Amino acid sequence: MKLKQLEGLLGDLQQFSNPKAENSFGDVSNKVVADLGCGCGTLGAAAALLGAEQVIGIDIDSHSLEIASLNAEDLELDINFIQSDIKNLGWRGQIVDTVVMNPPFGTQKKGADMDFLFVALKIASQAVYSLHKTSTRDHIKRVALRAFNASSAEVLCELRFDVPQLYKFHKKKEVDIAVDLWRFVPKDNQGKERKDI
Amino acid sequence: MRLLTHNMLSSNIKGVANGFPLRIEVEKVVEKQVELSADFLRNLFPKIEWKALVDAARTMGYAELAEEVDSSMLDSNEFLNKFHHALLELHLEEGALVCPETGRRFPVNKGIPNMLLHEDEV
Ligand SMILES: C[S@@+](CC[C@H](N)C(=O)[O-])C[C@H]1O[C@@H](n2cnc3c(N)ncnc32)[C@H](O)[C@@H]1O
């Protein structure tokens, strides 16, 4: 996602995250927010601009993290970064309130977004916002509720992604895909000490 | 890397039973002032592994945190200031996080810890 697209995205997110707005959940403002697979840091930056107290961006790729740090600097945002593979992230406790993420859809590796969702629902204590292909909607809901520790799974809105701007390796046929913005609530994690995930 | 981040990360190397807390190797610490939010600190306090924070802060050259704490101290501004400083204003800019069981070093460069595992560690 390009930085210039941030504005549009902010509009979408604001609706769901501003505690004063109607229809919102208060999941971002004054919270600890983690951006899993942060890439160049757009979602984390959005969270910071929406008033998150601390933002943590995690990505496997050092080049992406470098760009993300520069972007954060440009926007005068104070964001924490960690280089890690989400699949074997070593984590303790429930410090993160909310996860925001735009996981890889698994065009290269099938089910990669499910690995992300599994981890997100383990580390978040309050909510997980995530983008997934609309074509996988039923599957996502079933797995999140039955296997992944979600107490609720709700599609907030359907977006259209102009994919070539995001992934250079995609084939032409996937130019425009429908994507759902989800909000998941993890089952009560509070108090359950976990050394690891 | 803030000590907030240190308080969440653990070593996830195959075979390691307790990878928390990671030991800190300091090459360079920087301090950056940020605004204190008392409500934020009060909410966070019960989720912090206190001893890990005290030890980490001391390694980073800040020895002002009390070892024994309880939630009544959250009414004291002096306590909040120290907690805030240790958790959010101290940054490990260069150095490493070290797995407490295996001694494996995870380097920290430009403030970003690299927690990537080698193939034989997964
Ligand atoms: C679809 S991009 C999203 C980037 C960013 N969140 C955005 O919205 O612009 C997915 C990101 O996940 C990262 N990624 C892929 N697999 C990962 C893994 N196993 N662990 C951590 N990050 C991963 C990639 O490096 C990439 O930056």
Side-chain angles (χ1 to χ4, degrees):
Chain A
M1 208 173 294
K2 302 244 173 63
L3 214 52
K4 64 178 191 264
Q5 293 174 276
L6 184 60
E7 207 176 318
L9 184 84
L10 273 174
D12 283 340
L13 283 178
Q14 198 142 30
Q15 188 184 341
F16 303 112
S17 59
N18 176 355
K20 286 177 200 107
E22 229 178 302
N23 251 340
S24 83
F25 304 103
D27 292 327
V28 174
S29 187
N30 301 118
K31 302 292 178 185
V32 179
V33 175
D35 178 358
L36 304 190
C38 64
C40 39
T42 322
L43 290 176
L49 289 168
L50 291 169
E53 189 76 27
Q54 289 290 324
V55 176
I56 300 145
I58 306 175
D59 204 282
I60 197 168
D61 178 45
S62 52
H63 182 62
S64 299
L65 288 168
E66 240 168 73
I67 297 172
S69 313
L70 293 175
N71 284 343
E73 239 172 77
D74 280 352
L75 291 164
E76 293 181 16
L77 298 173
D78 175 14
I79 294 179
N80 308 279
F81 293 105
I82 300 168
Q83 186 174 10
S84 178
D85 184 335
I86 293 302
K87 291 195 295 298
N88 45 49
L89 182 65
W91 208 254
R92 179 206 75 83
Q94 294 292 316
I95 289 176
V96 169
D97 297 298
T98 300
V99 166
V100 294
M101 62 182 186
N102 172 19
F105 293 136
T107 310
Q108 291 188 314
K109 189 188 156 289
K110 212 168 182 299
D113 58 339
M114 299 311 277
D115 291 338
F116 273 64
L117 186 56
F118 177 71
V119 173
L121 281 163
K122 285 208 155 180
I123 70 175
S125 61
Q126 186 165 331
V128 173
Y129 289 81
S130 185
L131 295 162
H132 300 274
K133 277 196 211 172
T134 301
S135 61
T136 60
R137 188 180 287 183
D138 294 341
H139 175 67
I140 300 266
K141 182 152 200 158
R142 197 167 51 240
V143 175
L145 293 175
R146 288 204 193 146
F148 282 4
N149 194 39
S151 68
S152 82
E154 185 190 346
V155 173
L156 298 178
C157 63
E158 199 179 308
L159 312 164
R160 292 242 143 226
F161 259 39
D162 196 4
V163 174
Q165 289 186 349
L166 303 180
Y167 314 98
K168 291 200 175 59
F169 58 78
H170 275 178
K171 300 211 177 68
K172 250 239 142 40
K173 58 177 186 203
E174 277 198 283
V175 161
D176 193 35
I177 54 167
V179 174
D180 292 335
L181 172 60
W182 287 84
R183 179 178 184 267
F184 304 91
V185 176
K187 289 203 185 105
D188 190 11
N189 282 327
Q190 233 85 47
K192 255 185 264 159
E193 252 319 309
R194 195 176 46 224
K195 291 187 183 93
D196 230 327
I197 51 173
Chain B
M1 186 205 68
R2 290 190 163 91
L3 294 187
L4 174 72
T5 304
H6 172 261
N7 215 270
M8 299 187 252
L9 283 178
S10 80
S11 162
N12 204 15
I13 299 170
K14 187 176 70 182
V16 168
N18 192 357
F20 182 88
L22 293 153
R23 230 170 45 237
I24 294 178
E25 264 179 35
V26 177
E27 272 171 47
K28 184 180 171 200
V29 173
V30 295
E31 293 187 20
K32 295 181 208 159
Q33 278 200 359
V34 286
E35 207 179 313
L36 183 150
S37 162
D39 285 342
F40 179 71
L41 293 173
R42 288 189 185 111
N43 285 334
L44 209 51
F45 178 75
K47 302 175 180 177
I48 296 294
E49 189 62 42
W50 191 258
K51 186 169 177 346
L53 178 64
V54 174
D55 291 347
R58 192 174 294 132
T59 309
M60 306 261 280
Y62 185 72
E64 302 295 311
L65 289 182
E67 304 253 350
E68 297 293 325
V69 284
D70 60 74
S71 50
S72 72
M73 295 165 88
L74 293 167
D75 294 332
S76 146
N77 280 337
E78 195 197 338
F79 174 75
L80 287 180
N81 282 330
K82 290 176 179 173
F83 178 28
H84 172 78
H85 182 68
L87 193 71
L88 303 175
E89 294 188 327
L90 295 175
H91 295 254
L92 183 65
E93 188 67 13
E94 300 291 333
L97 300 174
V98 181
C99 171
E101 285 192 10
T102 64
R104 149 78 139 96
R105 292 173 81 254
F106 297 94
V108 178
N109 296 122
K110 293 185 188 159
I112 303 180
N114 177 351
M115 304 304 293
L116 293 180
L117 299 177
H118 305 310
E119 244 169 67
D120 59 355
E121 293 173 330
V122 180

